[in-house]
């Protein structure tokens, strides 16, 4: 136990030192360099479809380069990129890498929809649909093979503008999901206003279900709400079998979480899907 405590302390000190070494200005500079080197890495986490017991889609998650001297958590990377006007460049790089990988899966016979997280700030970018359309053309991927996950915070600013942009993206063929549903400034008005396909329940509620009756009721309510509006519903952050079983009984459509898989490099996905079909599917 003492060793564990010492290790914790060492870990905490190391992170304090890291914070001190990088002054607030160093991080945006480091991000800019990584972006210019096209060095961001992507990981992919499967979404398990409970009804068909198959993998129909994966979520792309960006990672700071593993071989870099510094280590930067994804949330901090995204927040800083947003704050320093680097999020547009980051997003284009992410799309480019994901579409390239999607094209290579397609050529290996692996057909999955790839969900990409879209920062709320991007919905203010007038040229976004045009840019994404161009990237799709470069890699010869149909928009219907790509989903966009947007958090509720994207909707609170310019509602008129956001609505128009979401319709434009929808008309191009992209699927749309509301990420971290239930944690933001939820307004049920979006459900009829925006052309969305899916709600993604925040993992705070999914993990809270284990100990909290209220969280369980929230999850059940979101699933009911989604289905009443004809939307598909995904639970993120599933780590335990008991959570999986509860969600299945509640009628949740898709499950994502460490219980099945952590985010993995793109080149591992085909093998993992084969492994899923051979063994993991028995756990369902
Ligand atoms: P998110 O989109 O809500 O992604 C879910 C986060 O939960 C991911 O963290 C994922 O690795 C983690 N996760 C998945 N399953 C489990 C589980 O069973 N247990 C636990 N404890 N965690 C789980 P990650 O990869 O650090 O990403 C954090 C956030 O950063 C994402 O939240 C998303 O909002 C943002 N993000 C990630 N990649 C991108 C990107 O390419 N572009 C943009 N704009 N944002 C991104
Ligand atoms: Mg997401
Ligand atoms: Mg989420
Ligand atoms: Mg999140």
């Amino acid at each position: 136990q003492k060793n564990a405590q010492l290790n914790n302390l060492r870990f905490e000190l190391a992170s304090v030192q890291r914070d001190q070494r990088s002054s607030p200005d160093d991080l945006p500079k480091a991000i800019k360099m990584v972006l210019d080197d096209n060095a961001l890495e992507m990981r992919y986490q499967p979404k398990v479809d409970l009804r068909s017991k198959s993998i129909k889609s994966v979520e792309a998650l960006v990672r700071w380069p593993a071989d870099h001297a510094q280590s930067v958590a994804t949330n901090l990377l995204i927040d800083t990129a947003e704050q320093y006007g680097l999020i547009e460049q980051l997003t284009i790089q992410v799309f480019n890498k994901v579409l390239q990988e999607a094209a290579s899966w397609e050529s290996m016979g692996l057909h999955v929809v790839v969900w990409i997280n879209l920062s709320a700030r991007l919905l203010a970018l007038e040229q976004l649909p045009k840019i994404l359309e161009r990237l799709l053309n470069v890699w010869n991927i149909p928009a219907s093979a790509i989903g966009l996950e947007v958090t509720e915070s994207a909707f609170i600013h310019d509602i008129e503008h956001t609505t128009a942009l979401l319709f434009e993206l929808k008309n191009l063929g992209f699927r749309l999901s509301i990420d971290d549903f239930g944690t933001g400034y939820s307004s049920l008005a979006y459900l009829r206003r925006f052309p969305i396909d899916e709600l993604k329940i925040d993992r705070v509620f999914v993990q809270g279900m284990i100990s909290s009756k209220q969280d369980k009721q929230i999850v059940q309510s979101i699933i009911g709400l989604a289905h009443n509006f004809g939307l598909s519903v995904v639970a993120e952050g599933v780590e335990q079998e008991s959570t999986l079983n509860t969600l299945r009984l509640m009628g949740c459509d898709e499950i994502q979480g460490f219980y099945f898989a952590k985010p993995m490099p793109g080149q591992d996905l085909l093998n993992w899907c084969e492994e899923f079909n051979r063994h993991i599917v028995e756990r369902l």
Side-chain angles (χ1 to χ4, degrees), residues 42 44 96-106 265-267:
M42 298 309 301
Y44 301 89
N96 203 40
K97 291 189 175 205
V98 170
L99 294 176
Q100 177 174 20
E101 214 132 29
S104 100
W105 294 329
E106 193 64 35
Q267 74 231 36

Side-chain angles (χ1 to χ4, degrees), residues 42 45 59-63 73-75 78 82 87 90-91 94 98 116-120 122 149 151 179-180 200 202-203 207 236-239 256-259 261-263:
M42 298 309 301
Q45 189 181 32
E59 176 179 10
L61 294 155
V62 73
R63 290 290 177 267
T74 297
N75 276 319
I78 299 297
E82 286 184 345
I87 193 67
L90 181 146
T91 304
V94 163
V98 170
I116 301 177
N117 292 284
L118 203 56
S119 170
L122 263 291
E149 296 190 4
T151 56
D179 204 350
D180 302 342
K200 200 163 179 185
D202 194 85
R203 73 164 187 262
Q207 297 185 342
E236 66 174 23
V238 176
E239 294 183 1
Q256 198 182 18
F258 296 170
Y259 177 73
K262 292 201 166 165

Side-chain angles (χ1 to χ4, degrees), residues 26-201:
D26 288 344
L27 185 55
K29 272 185 209 147
I31 295 175
K32 182 67 181 145
M33 275 170 65
V34 165
L35 286 173
D36 289 344
D37 287 348
N38 195 32
L40 287 176
E41 296 178 12
M42 298 309 301
R43 298 290 181 273
Y44 301 89
Q45 189 181 32
K47 290 179 172 178
V48 176
D49 185 291
L50 287 180
R51 210 148 300 122
S52 67
K53 299 189 179 186
S54 65
I55 310 301
K56 289 194 187 142
S57 63
V58 299
E59 176 179 10
L61 294 155
V62 73
R63 290 290 177 267
W64 189 253
D67 62 5
H68 204 277
Q70 227 176 345
S71 112
V72 178
T74 297
N75 276 319
L76 179 62
L77 166 63
I78 299 297
D79 289 349
T80 312
E82 286 184 345
Q83 209 178 321
Y84 285 84
L86 298 169
I87 193 67
E88 288 79 8
Q89 193 183 352
L90 181 146
T91 304
I92 290 168
Q93 186 166 137
V94 163
F95 261 83
N96 203 40
K97 291 189 175 205
V98 170
L99 294 176
Q100 177 174 20
E101 214 132 29
S104 100
W105 294 329
E106 193 64 35
S107 73
M108 294 187 290
L110 181 65
H111 310 293
V112 286
V113 170
V114 191
W115 290 88
I116 301 177
N117 292 284
L118 203 56
S119 170
R121 293 213 20 182
L122 263 291
L123 293 184
L125 185 66
E126 209 82 51
Q127 309 94 308
L128 182 73
K130 288 269 169 311
I131 294 172
L132 299 188
E133 206 180 3
R134 275 203 344 246
L135 287 168
L136 290 170
N137 285 336
V138 168
W139 295 106
N140 197 22
I141 303 274
S144 58
I146 303 297
L148 305 173
E149 296 190 4
V150 188
T151 56
E152 291 163 301
S153 59
F155 306 148
I156 59 177
H157 299 296
D158 185 345
I159 290 271
E160 291 303 320
H161 180 91
T162 305
T163 309
L165 201 96
L166 286 175
F167 271 97
E168 231 184 297
L169 292 169
K170 184 72 205 164
N171 289 337
L172 283 174
F174 288 107
R175 296 160 200 239
L176 300 174
S177 172
I178 302 185
D179 204 350
D180 302 342
F181 188 80
T183 53
Y185 299 84
S186 290
S187 156
L188 299 182
Y190 327 136
L191 295 178
R192 59 178 170 81
R193 178 158 196 154
F194 297 137
I196 47 176
D197 304 284
E198 178 191 280
L199 297 186
K200 200 163 179 185
I201 309 170

